[in-house]
Amino acid sequence: MTVKVYPSLLILFLTNTVWTRNVRQVYDVMDPEDWSLFTFECPQECFCPPSFPNALYCDNKGLKEIPAIPARIWYLYLQNNLIETISEKPFVNATHLKWVNLNKNKITSNGIEEGVLSKLKHLLYLFLEDNELEEVPAPLPTSLEQLRLARNKISRIPEGVFRNLENLTMLDLHHNKLLDSALQSDTFQGLNNLMQLNIAKNSLKKMPLSIPANTMQLFLDNNSIEVIPENYFSAIPKVTFLRLNYNKLSDDGIPPNVFNVSSILDLQLSHNQLTKIPPFSAHLEHLHLDHNRIKSVNVTLMCPTSIAIEDHSSYGNMPHLRYLRLDGNEIQPPIPLDIMICFRLLQAVVI
């Protein structure tokens, strides 16, 4: 077995993977007979590709208002403008919208007319990143599958805003101003099919309450979390990717075996205050522990199973760890040979 040890940073194997239904092709084509129901008007500020008549491109036009959207449009691109408000009037005829991109505008919470979004009955993807929102917009269409609200000024989540969003699979709230008080025990109630929750780069000091049970990807990087409650992950038994980089976790804040969860395949604890490697499941494949305060590697304690050769006679009994990152600690090479004996699938170690 050959194990590569790298003295410098590796390209991360998994970054921002979204396990959700594949995003539909932007240029879905309707039955030609259906197009006879629509006219082919195009707002003069925008571009309407003749070959893709259900898409409307109004991005990078310096627009301050949303133009009237033709009835045939499914995909609407309004990013990189100066739009401050979302009113009902431009959407009166746009009853087939599935995709709306309003990233990088100047939209405020007060600038969204009440009920305008919930009337878009077929909307699947809503992008409102890089705006001036102070709270999650409400009400939202029950059809939504992805809601992206990163890089706003959101500090408040209205009560019950997610209650009827059973189709939502991805919720991105990273880089906002959320405090612990904004995340109540019922905040995420109704998100029964949520698969990815991103609350990174906020101002959390505690692990959020009542994460939806089907969540597979939980991103909590760049907060100020110090403690993980005991048995926290038993409530989210499908969690597969867990990111807690850039927090304030110490050994005392991690209960024994809290990460020893068979569903977790990728665990990221970089840039914390750990002095030892926490126990983890034999199913774990990627472990990021760089830039902590770890001084040594005790393979006897670290190995999820016995190091004895006979215990690894089958793949099912063998630890699945393939990638281990330990750089930025106080560990001096060489690493113990036993680490290769325990983790026989290991392909890369960064020290």
Side-chain angles (χ1 to χ4, degrees):
M1 176 187 67
T2 301
V3 177
K4 297 181 180 179
V5 180
Y6 296 93
S8 58
L9 299 183
L10 278 175
I11 297 175
L12 300 186
F13 284 62
L14 297 168
T15 56
N16 294 328
T17 306
V18 180
W19 281 12
T20 182
R21 179 159 42 164
N22 289 336
V23 175
R24 292 164 173 77
Q25 292 295 322
V26 173
Y27 305 122
D28 286 342
V29 178
M30 294 180 74
D31 189 315
E33 293 183 0
D34 293 335
W35 290 116
S36 63
L37 302 176
F38 304 112
T39 59
F40 284 79
E41 73 275 13
C42 183
Q44 62 179 2
E45 309 96 327
C46 307
F47 172 61
C48 301
S51 56
F52 305 114
N54 56 347
L56 179 62
Y57 290 86
C58 308
D59 52 309
N60 296 289
K61 302 293 184 181
L63 300 180
K64 295 184 178 181
E65 296 180 349
I66 299 174
I69 310 303
R72 70 179 188 277
I73 299 304
W74 288 3
Y75 303 99
L76 176 60
Y77 298 88
L78 285 161
Q79 67 270 26
N80 291 300
N81 281 295
L82 303 171
I83 297 168
E84 297 181 0
T85 61
I86 304 176
S87 61
E88 183 177 346
K89 185 178 179 180
F91 297 99
V92 168
N93 297 318
T95 57
H96 294 272
L97 277 174
K98 297 184 178 183
W99 176 300
V100 173
N101 189 334
L102 278 159
N103 289 345
K104 295 187 177 180
N105 278 282
K106 298 181 179 296
I107 300 167
T108 62
S109 294
N110 290 334
I112 301 178
E113 185 177 335
E114 186 174 358
V116 61
L117 296 174
S118 63
K119 292 179 181 178
L120 303 177
K121 301 296 185 181
H122 300 285
L123 191 64
L124 302 176
Y125 304 95
L126 178 58
F127 299 79
L128 281 166
E129 298 178 339
D130 297 285
N131 277 282
E132 305 291 332
L133 300 178
E134 296 180 350
E135 65 179 29
V136 174
L140 292 163
T142 59
S143 54
L144 267 188
E145 294 184 4
Q146 290 194 15
L147 177 60
R148 299 178 184 246
L149 300 171
R151 294 178 298 277
N152 277 277
K153 301 177 181 178
I154 295 173
S155 61
R156 180 175 174 270
I157 300 178
E159 184 177 357
V161 65
F162 302 126
R163 191 165 294 155
N164 296 316
L165 301 188
E166 292 189 358
N167 295 309
L168 199 71
T169 58
M170 177 185 178
L171 175 58
D172 190 347
L173 288 163
H174 89 269
H175 209 154
N176 277 287
K177 297 184 177 182
L178 292 171
L179 300 171
D180 295 320
S181 58
L183 304 180
Q184 301 298 314
S185 59
D186 60 349
T187 294
F188 301 113
Q189 184 177 347
L191 298 178
N192 299 329
N193 291 297
L194 193 71
M195 299 176 72
Q196 186 190 99
L197 177 59
N198 192 339
I199 325 177
K201 290 191 176 182
N202 278 279
S203 299
L204 304 181
K205 294 183 179 180
K206 300 177 181 179
M207 296 291 285
L209 300 171
S210 301
I211 299 297
N214 286 319
T215 302
M216 300 178 71
Q217 300 180 346
L218 179 58
F219 302 152
L220 292 165
D221 318 68
N222 291 90
N223 281 286
S224 298
I225 297 171
E226 299 179 358
V227 176
I228 300 176
E230 192 169 0
N231 299 320
Y232 180 85
F233 300 107
S234 62
I236 42 177
K238 296 182 180 180
V239 63
T240 306
F241 299 90
L242 178 61
R243 291 196 337 215
L244 281 159
N245 304 317
Y246 291 96
N247 276 283
K248 296 182 179 180
L249 290 169
S250 64
D251 300 330
D252 292 337
I254 298 179
N257 295 313
V258 72
F259 296 125
N260 193 0
V261 179
S262 61
S263 64
I264 299 178
L265 302 181
D266 188 287
L267 176 59
Q268 300 190 20
L269 295 166
S270 305
H271 293 271
N272 278 282
Q273 301 169 14
L274 304 177
T275 63
K276 57 185 180 182
I277 298 174
F280 54 87
S281 165
H283 295 272
L284 188 70
E285 296 183 2
H286 297 83
L287 178 59
H288 301 246
L289 287 167
D290 55 286
H291 297 90
N292 278 276
R293 300 173 183 175
I294 300 169
K295 295 182 179 180
S296 61
V297 178
N298 187 329
V299 181
T300 302
L301 296 177
M302 178 183 176
C303 190
T305 61
S306 170
I307 298 179
I309 294 177
E310 57 269 17
D311 290 340
H312 292 169
S313 57
S314 68
Y315 177 81
N317 296 327
M318 187 181 300
H320 296 178
L321 193 67
R322 289 173 167 80
Y323 176 82
L324 175 62
R325 185 169 174 184
L326 290 167
D327 56 300
N329 284 283
E330 300 174 25
I331 302 169
Q332 297 298 321
I335 58 175
L337 178 61
D338 285 353
I339 201 168
M340 286 73 165
I341 298 175
C342 174
F343 302 106
R344 300 186 180 193
L345 300 178
L346 197 61
Q347 297 175 357
V349 180
V350 184
I351 60 173

